[in-house]
Amino acid sequence: MFQNTRVRFRPVALLLAGLLLAGASSSVTAQDTSPTVERTPGAADPAPAHPELAGVFEEFGGRAGLDALMEEFMSVLLADPRMRPFFEKVEHDRVKRQLAEQFCAILGGGCVYTGRDMIAAHAAHGIDRADFNALVEDLQIAMSKRGIPFRAQNKLLALLAPMHREVINR
Ligand code: HEM
């Protein structure tokens, strides 16, 4: 059942691969405006706000919808043998909260992201491109399980894609 779900999302994964390539050619804009607890020198803003996406934020169900999405996302991650080793030992409640904050801030929902920047958050975890793509696949599965429209999913994914430069570190 899980396998089937994953296969069905392959075309969207290809779309994301395209977004990743597109993102790779644009420049990183570092803005030191976010009140993160830890900031790596030169790191990009981990939660750049896009107020024009307030409609997309609503399609995610607002902050409550994002909190529910993170419950689903963490369940999918822990059920995926590719992702479980990364997430089984971290503080689930904190990571879920910080992901919801980050996505809420990015989608113009007015939240304040209190987590670390993307370099600092992932430095200890030895993440490669396949790991990154697997996590995105799991996020797509979770978003679809929550009934989030594909257009809204892709708007968010397009904003996350450039972060691969700071998340992938091996
Ligand atoms: C665009 C992609 C990603 C985004 C936006 C993202 C976002 C985040 C955020 C907001 C946190 C919490 C920050 C903090 O601890 O202060 C976090 C933590 C974490 N992320 Fe990611 N992440 C991404 C990709 C990945 C990937 C590909 C992996 C591994 C396959 C991963 C593994 C982790 C782990 C293990 C933690 C917990 C870190 C710890 O507590 O030591 N992330 N991520």
Side-chain angles (χ1 to χ4, degrees), residues 10 25 27 31 38-40 59 70 77-78 87 101 121 129 142 163:
R10 282 275 150 74
S25 61
S27 64
Q31 299 166 4
E38 189 180 333
R39 179 56 64 90
T40 306
E59 288 185 287
M70 292 319 156
L77 288 169
L78 293 172
F87 288 95
E101 277 175 11
R129 181 167 287 269
M163 295 183 185

Side-chain angles (χ1 to χ4, degrees), residues 23-147:
S25 61
S26 68
S27 64
V28 178
T29 46
Q31 299 166 4
D32 287 327
T33 51
S34 232
T36 47
V37 291
E38 189 180 333
R39 179 56 64 90
T40 306
D45 182 348
H50 291 265
E52 75 281 9
L53 294 183
V56 177
F57 176 64
E58 293 310 319
E59 288 185 287
F60 274 80
R63 176 60 198 260
L66 286 171
D67 286 338
L69 172 63
M70 292 319 156
E71 294 295 328
E72 192 70 70
F73 186 32
M74 190 56 75
S75 299
V76 175
L77 288 169
L78 293 172
D80 181 346
R82 300 170 301 175
M83 289 292 104
R84 188 173 177 87
F86 289 100
F87 288 95
E88 61 189 349
K89 293 197 180 75
V90 302
E91 289 171 63
H92 296 149
D93 287 346
R94 181 181 58 78
V95 174
K96 283 185 287 189
R97 186 183 67 252
Q98 287 174 340
L99 280 167
E101 277 175 11
Q102 183 191 35
F103 289 11
C104 169
I106 289 174
L107 294 177
C111 298
V112 175
Y113 172 65
T114 61
R116 292 172 287 175
D117 66 70
M118 293 298 95
I119 294 175
H122 300 97
H125 293 283
I127 297 167
D128 68 15
R129 181 167 287 269
D131 300 325
F132 187 92
N133 290 341
L135 176 130
V136 170
E137 246 179 72
D138 286 352
L139 178 58
Q140 289 171 327
I141 290 168
M143 290 190 292
S144 293
K145 280 185 164 179
R146 294 287 311 153

